[in-house]
Amino acid sequence: MDTSESWKALAPLPEGVAGHAMASDAREGLWVAGGSLWRDGVKVIQDEIRYLQPGGAEWQHRGGIPGGWAYGGGAVEGDALYLAGGIGTDGLRADILRIDLVSGHVSQMGALLAGRAYCAAAVMDGGLWIMGGSENADDLSQADTRVFRFDLADGTLREYASAPGSGWVNPLLLCVGGKLYAFPGSRWSVDAKRLIPFEGVFVFSPDQSAWEVVPVEVSLPRAMSGVALGQKAVCLAGGVVTSSSAATIEGHVWIYDARNGHLSTGPNLPEARLGAAMASTAGRVFISGGEDKPRSRAADVWSLELGTAEPAQ
């Protein structure tokens, strides 16, 4: 059954983007930062920071990211949106930025050891955790599984146990119940000479500094968008499935129960999306932008009311 009507359309972005970051603030306003788009056949990295007030009909310009930003790790904590690594107008970025979700002011917090694209980030226990990605944006075969923790108080950077397997590209990293959950990004297959998905969910315990691979009931698309739903569950959406001959962008939505690893289906997105950004607040999830087809960016913004009900065990 088509459940796409459960999603509500909000004010669209001024122009479509993908590879951007999204956040919801304490007032339930929405923020979107950076991203990429195509203009006249040229890929452009955005520097815009935009804000949509609750119930607003138009996105407001709230500042800019010096040098632009896309395809890095984005994570929200309190009144801050953190950006790690990524691609700027001059190439790879190594810096760690903080966007104030009141003023829109951008400040530099520190830096990674080197520029890193297609990585993921999450905030947990006073640290910004960064994993995966490549130090060469044009060669995804060089992607690695390294995991770093940037201390948000003193600015120190520490490397932790690498994730299992070969290099991660565009993973989704979320903090749920005091652990890090890495959902299927993709890895470069030397044999297939293309990106292929990982199987399972990768869970990192900071106390043990160790990874555990948890099987999933179905094969999920790679490069999904997602957001934590409190401390027990995750909402996953979109992604892409690649065969030897074609890539298919999907619009499925899943609710993952972190207590038992169970997956249940949610209302499908109104349209398929890849590289979209998600945010959540007070029982609602939001999704914005993304690719709807190759070299095409969507400007749609949707919300879904999930309520406070816990997923079935």
Side-chain angles (χ1 to χ4, degrees):
M1 180 177 65
D2 182 10
T3 55
S4 61
E5 290 183 359
S6 298
W7 288 88
K8 177 183 177 182
L10 303 181
L13 295 165
E15 53 189 341
V17 291
H20 53 300
M22 187 179 189
S24 177
D25 60 26
R27 302 168 301 283
E28 298 187 23
L30 297 178
W31 296 77
V32 163
S36 75
L37 54 88
W38 288 87
R39 289 186 183 141
D40 300 323
V42 178
K43 196 173 189 178
V44 177
I45 302 298
Q46 283 275 63
D47 64 358
E48 288 277 346
I49 298 173
R50 294 189 168 106
Y51 177 70
L52 180 68
Q53 63 184 11
E58 187 174 281
W59 287 79
Q60 306 167 8
H61 172 79
R62 294 298 296 270
I65 304 169
W69 182 90
Y71 301 111
V76 181
E77 173 73 0
D79 61 358
L81 168 60
Y82 296 98
L83 306 178
I87 301 174
T89 54
D90 294 327
L92 285 180
R93 300 194 67 143
D95 41 5
I96 295 171
L97 306 175
R98 180 187 188 275
I99 300 177
D100 185 281
L101 297 180
V102 177
S103 66
H105 176 71
V106 180
S107 57
Q108 182 169 345
M109 302 283 293
L112 300 169
L113 299 179
R116 180 170 294 268
Y118 310 114
C119 57
V123 176
M124 181 174 68
D125 295 336
L128 180 68
W129 296 76
I130 302 105
M131 71 166 292
S134 175
E135 294 181 0
N136 185 336
D138 298 320
D139 186 358
L140 299 183
S141 69
Q142 295 187 30
D144 60 43
T145 61
R146 300 168 75 184
V147 178
F148 301 92
R149 179 185 184 276
F150 177 80
D151 193 292
L152 294 172
D154 63 23
T156 57
L157 184 70
R158 175 183 171 186
E159 185 171 349
Y160 278 71
S162 295
S166 57
W168 287 70
V169 179
N170 285 327
L172 172 63
L173 188 64
L174 298 169
C175 175
V176 183
K179 295 183 178 181
L180 292 175
Y181 283 72
F183 292 86
S186 52
R187 61 184 177 87
W188 182 262
S189 170
V190 175
D191 295 333
K193 293 183 172 54
R194 60 181 173 86
L195 292 171
I196 61 175
F198 280 91
E199 296 295 332
V201 176
F202 292 65
V203 183
F204 179 77
S205 171
D207 294 336
Q208 301 174 353
S209 190
W211 288 87
E212 174 190 7
V213 182
V214 179
V216 289
E217 301 155 88
V218 298
S219 181
L220 293 170
R222 62 177 178 85
M224 304 180 80
S225 303
V227 67
L229 304 174
Q231 295 300 310
K232 297 178 180 178
V234 167
C235 180
L236 305 168
V240 62
V241 174
T242 306
S243 67
S244 58
S245 58
T248 302
I249 299 175
E250 298 206 342
H252 297 303
V253 173
W254 300 90
I255 306 299
Y256 176 83
D257 189 335
R259 297 169 296 181
N260 55 25
H262 177 67
L263 279 169
S264 57
T265 57
N268 288 344
L269 297 174
E271 296 180 18
R273 287 291 182 268
L274 167 66
M278 294 186 73
S280 67
T281 185
R284 298 176 72 196
V285 296
F286 308 90
I287 188 166
S288 64
E291 298 183 35
D292 51 1
K293 57 186 176 182
R295 293 201 173 194
S296 176
R297 303 290 189 261
D300 304 290
V301 181
W302 302 308
S303 70
L304 174 67
E305 184 70 45
L306 287 176
T308 58
E310 296 180 354
Q313 295 197 62

